[in-house]
Amino acid sequence: MAHNSAFDASFLVAEYARAGWPLGLTQDMTLCTMRLAGQFGAPAKLGACCAHGGL
């Protein structure tokens, strides 16, 4: 789970590869709160999304 998981997943894959450890992580394997926010009428920015949800 991540806010903008596409970015986080690609970052982790690149960093693991740089360390010589292949990581078979894809965006399909993540839960993106930024995408979910749009489905529930919440703003996409993390702070605004949290405020919208009362966090």
Side-chain angles (χ1 to χ4, degrees):
M1 179 186 302
H3 197 74
N4 194 2
S5 64
F7 170 81
D8 292 344
S10 64
F11 176 83
L12 288 171
V13 168
E15 287 301 304
Y16 271 71
R18 197 169 70 93
W21 301 333
L23 180 64
L25 179 64
T26 65
Q27 184 179 350
D28 296 337
M29 301 164 96
T30 67
L31 178 63
C32 182
T33 58
M34 191 168 80
R35 282 189 175 194
L36 287 174
Q39 294 176 4
F40 291 97
K45 291 195 175 211
L46 181 57
C49 182
C50 290
H52 181 82
L55 300 174

